[in-house]
Amino acid sequence: NKKIIIAIDGHSSTGKSTVARQLAKELGYIYVDTGAMYRAVTLYAMRKCYIDKHHFNREALERFLPFINIKFEVNSKTGLAEVFLNNENVEKTIRKLDVSNFVSQIAAVSLVRKKLVEQQQLMGKDKGIVMDGRDIGTVVFPEAELKLFMTATAKDRAERRYKELIDRGEKVTYEDVLKNVVDRDHIDSTRKDSPLRKAEDAIVIDNSNLTLNEQFSQILNIAKNVI
Ligand code: C5P
């Protein structure tokens, strides 16, 4: 079997990471959650370059960038990769709604993207990797052998994400979550550098009406045909 690169892009909260993780496990591939990398940089910016809810000090962030170290380490108990920001495990903190509400602004900064894209390209240089994000099929690995583009209605996505956050004990309202999903889609799709869009050769998966199992078997079949 040849090793390939699988690029999974799509709108916010479409379950990209769930599918990507399952797929990597099944194929014995590495899984990389690039959203976690942008979230970790965002957490740094919120701590060090924050002005108010809608603003951050961009020059400061650009100056600090060389000192921001993002890496993944596998948790030996769960077998799952967790993200570290300057050696601090931030896996839980970066999933909170306050980080979600800031991340698209930080992800629009070109120097941030340049740094993270370079790191992502290095991680995939030996292939055998499933990477999910917004620009994987278009910018990070335009030559990926398999590209998927996942989407679902904003309502379906917000409902799932709301349930997830509530299960984790966060105090959020459904309206806040829906707004976050819609706002992020908008900022991610309209930014100048690497906007979220479907690569021409990507296969679209609309999972509004699919169960997790249906979706996974569909995608696994597609992958097996390519490998
Ligand atoms: O995938 P996730 O929802 O965790 O991503 C969080 C945010 O990070 C996205 O809304 C987007 O602003 C940014 N992102 C990006 N490019 C990627 C992955 C994530 O701009 N490849």
Side-chain angles (χ1 to χ4, degrees):
N1 272 3
K2 64 176 199 272
K3 282 196 163 182
I4 65 166
I5 295 178
I6 302 179
I8 306 185
D9 290 304
H11 294 105
S12 297
S13 302
T14 39
K16 295 184 293 293
S17 59
T18 307
V19 174
R21 195 179 291 117
Q22 284 176 310
L23 202 55
K25 193 169 175 207
E26 180 74 26
L27 300 172
Y29 278 21
I30 293 167
Y31 163 56
V32 176
D33 171 0
T34 64
M37 301 171 76
Y38 288 94
R39 287 171 180 272
V41 173
T42 301
L43 185 62
Y44 182 96
M46 290 170 76
R47 288 172 176 173
K48 298 271 201 320
C49 321
Y50 187 80
I51 297 175
D52 64 41
K53 236 173 124 184
H54 302 287
H55 303 91
F56 64 99
N57 182 336
R58 183 199 176 109
E59 280 91 67
L61 176 62
E62 292 178 346
R63 241 182 310 117
F64 289 143
L65 265 182
F67 308 102
I68 303 180
N69 177 269
I70 310 288
K71 65 167 189 240
F72 290 97
E73 260 178 43
V74 174
N75 177 322
S76 55
K77 280 198 197 123
T78 61
L80 301 178
E82 297 181 334
V83 67
F84 285 70
L85 165 64
N86 293 342
N87 291 320
E88 173 193 353
N89 186 331
V90 294
E91 182 62 33
K92 284 222 171 70
T93 322
I94 59 162
R95 311 285 165 192
K96 297 195 176 219
L97 191 59
D98 60 343
V99 175
S100 300
N101 282 336
F102 227 83
V103 62
S104 290
Q105 283 192 60
I106 302 298
V109 178
S110 284
L111 284 176
V112 170
R113 304 204 67 81
K114 184 168 178 287
K115 176 186 171 89
L116 297 186
V117 168
E118 278 172 14
Q119 196 179 341
Q120 290 152 11
Q121 287 171 335
L122 269 179
M123 294 192 273
K125 69 177 187 347
D126 297 327
K127 303 204 173 186
I129 193 166
V130 185
M131 194 174 274
D132 83 320
R134 302 293 185 287
D135 61 341
I136 312 304
T138 52
V139 175
V140 182
F141 295 119
E143 75 294 356
E145 288 85 350
L146 175 59
K147 299 179 187 178
L148 302 174
F149 189 86
M150 296 189 37
T151 190
T153 66
K155 185 173 157 286
D156 282 307
R157 292 183 281 132
E159 273 168 13
R160 283 185 222 148
R161 182 49 59 97
Y162 172 67
K163 209 179 155 293
E164 247 174 60
L165 292 171
I166 292 292
D167 286 347
R168 272 190 240 144
E170 263 208 72
K171 293 192 175 44
V172 292
T173 66
Y174 170 75
E175 286 68 33
D176 287 344
V177 177
L178 180 65
K179 182 174 179 339
N180 174 257
V181 162
V182 173
D183 286 354
R184 273 205 286 152
D185 286 349
H186 176 73
I187 303 176
D188 293 345
S189 320
T190 55
R191 68 180 173 223
K192 277 210 199 74
D193 189 348
S194 321
L196 165 65
R197 59 177 178 78
K198 182 185 104 55
E200 265 174 40
D201 49 349
I203 299 168
V204 177
I205 311 274
D206 184 329
N207 63 21
S208 300
N209 297 307
L210 293 179
T211 66
L212 280 181
N213 282 336
E214 286 167 349
Q215 161 170 278
F216 181 60
S217 55
Q218 210 180 71
I219 292 177
L220 187 61
N221 274 335
I222 297 173
K224 284 188 171 157
N225 275 326
V226 179
I227 301 170

